[in-house]
Each structure stands twice: as C-alpha cells, then as structure tokens.
Amino acid sequence: MNYYQVKLIKNLLEHKKLVLWLTIIWTAIVTFFCLASFNDLPKIEADHFDKIGHITFHFGMTFLWFLTFKFYFLNENRNALIKAFLFSFFYGVTIEICQDQFTVTRSGDPLDVLANTSGSILAIIVIQIALSYFKKLLKK
C-alpha cells in the first residue's frame, strides 16, 4: 500500500461515524417520503416521474450503505456491495408492502420495486467503476 492509499483509508475511517449517521438520516428520509401522504401537494404531470425519485433514493441508499458496510463495519468491497444491494432491495420491497397494507393514501407498486432495484444496480455499477478507477490510479 502506498502513502496515498493509507492516507485515504485513514481519513475515511476517521469519518466512519459521520458516514453511518448520513446513512441513517438518508434511510429515514426515504422512509418518510415513501410512507407520508402528499395528496395536498400539487401533482407533477410527467410520465413515471415518481420512478425517477425511487431510482434516486435507492441509488443514494445503496451508495451510503456500501460506505457504511465498507468503512464502519470493515467489510471487503465485494461483501459491502452485496450487503448494500440486498439491504436496499429488501428495504424497497418492505416499503412497498407497508404502503399497500398500512397506509390509506399510498399503494404498493411492483414497478416501484423495479425502479428501486434499478437505482441499486446503477449504484453498484458506479461504485465498481469508481473502485476500478481508483485501483488503477493508486497503482501508478
């Protein structure tokens, strides 16, 4: 390991509690927006606009949970990626079930699960590209 790798890892480990809190806050925000009623707000007339929100939420959730599993729980990259994806996937399915069963103004939608999963997969792809880029950069 070279000096810059050690420095980067040390900095990330020093901020691991911040990463954990950001992850928890993001997850809470996603939960709120998925379960709260927004019937009184003006509607945005665009096809599948809410799916962009689902993709964005789960992209961020997968990315932050990857960082948490990687630096707070000290998992290897592959394990952190798998755990982050599985967390986001099962969380998304659970939220859709909760919307269907426990809310009056929301309903579960299989297309939302597909959008959630797409956001998670996109995050995994971006993370893998970034990891391979930094690995090549650090070899130089």
Side-chain angles (χ1 to χ4, degrees):
M1 236 187 247
N2 66 32
Y3 169 78
Y4 296 107
Q5 255 182 321
V6 172
K7 188 80 170 157
L8 174 65
I9 291 170
K10 183 179 177 194
N11 285 338
L12 287 171
L13 288 174
E14 287 175 0
H15 300 292
K16 67 183 183 178
K17 286 186 181 178
L18 176 63
V19 170
L20 176 65
W21 278 109
L22 286 173
T23 304
I24 291 169
I25 290 168
W26 183 263
T27 304
I29 289 169
V30 170
T31 303
F32 172 77
F33 279 108
C34 288
L35 295 177
S37 173
F38 296 104
N39 287 344
D40 296 336
L41 295 177
K43 300 281 186 218
I44 297 174
E45 297 299 326
D47 291 338
H48 307 294
F49 179 76
D50 68 316
K51 303 308 182 244
I52 295 168
H54 284 271
I55 290 168
T56 304
F57 280 156
H58 282 268
F59 179 93
M61 181 177 292
T62 303
F63 181 78
L64 287 170
W65 277 105
F66 166 75
L67 292 177
T68 299
F69 287 128
K70 173 74 176 153
F71 296 109
Y72 192 82
F73 296 109
L74 301 176
N75 291 141
E76 294 295 322
N77 288 342
R78 185 172 191 274
N79 288 338
L81 282 170
I82 290 168
K83 288 177 182 181
F85 174 78
L86 290 175
F87 178 86
S88 181
F89 176 77
F90 286 113
Y91 175 86
V93 170
T94 302
I95 286 293
E96 291 304 316
I97 292 169
C98 289
Q99 284 179 342
D100 191 53
Q101 298 296 314
F102 304 117
T103 65
V104 178
T105 59
R106 307 294 296 259
S107 62
D109 184 0
L111 291 178
D112 286 350
V113 174
L114 183 62
N116 298 343
T117 306
S118 298
S120 295
I121 290 171
L122 183 61
I124 296 296
I125 291 168
V126 169
I127 291 167
Q128 287 182 322
I129 290 169
L131 288 173
S132 67
Y133 172 76
F134 287 122
K135 189 176 183 179
K136 288 177 186 176
L137 188 66
L138 292 172
K139 284 184 179 182
K140 289 182 181 183

